[in-house]
Amino acid sequence: MYRLHITHLKTAAGDRGDTTGYAIAKRTGLTESHVSKLLNRRSKPLVETLLVFKRAYGGKVDDFIEEIAA
């Protein structure tokens, strides 16, 4: 099982000045609602979403994934 590594996303986004869900949404082109669901763990990221975060904030796709026990 996996989920979004929220701490890494917030750190990477903050390094670029994106300190709110709105700012993350604006930079990535995702909807603010979708970003909110991801940040509040109400949704799991699709691979496409992870690629969007990678393009926007650098690093590897794996940086945005956190494995959890099943």
Side-chain angles (χ1 to χ4, degrees):
M1 301 282 298
Y2 74 95
R3 65 184 178 191
L4 178 64
H5 196 306
I6 294 172
T7 304
H8 180 80
L9 175 59
K10 286 184 174 182
T11 299
D15 288 348
R16 295 210 175 30
D18 298 342
T19 58
T20 65
Y22 173 78
I24 293 170
K26 188 171 179 181
R27 182 178 300 271
T28 61
L30 300 170
T31 66
E32 189 174 2
S33 171
H34 185 67
V35 171
S36 175
K37 287 177 185 175
L38 290 168
L39 293 175
N40 290 297
R41 298 206 193 279
R42 287 182 274 139
S43 180
K44 286 186 181 180
L46 298 174
V47 172
E48 292 83 0
T49 304
L50 296 170
L51 288 169
V52 167
F53 290 144
K54 176 194 172 299
R55 285 186 204 110
Y57 299 114
K60 301 177 291 184
V61 169
D62 288 353
D63 295 337
F64 297 98
I65 298 172
E66 180 176 33
E67 290 189 49
I68 56 173

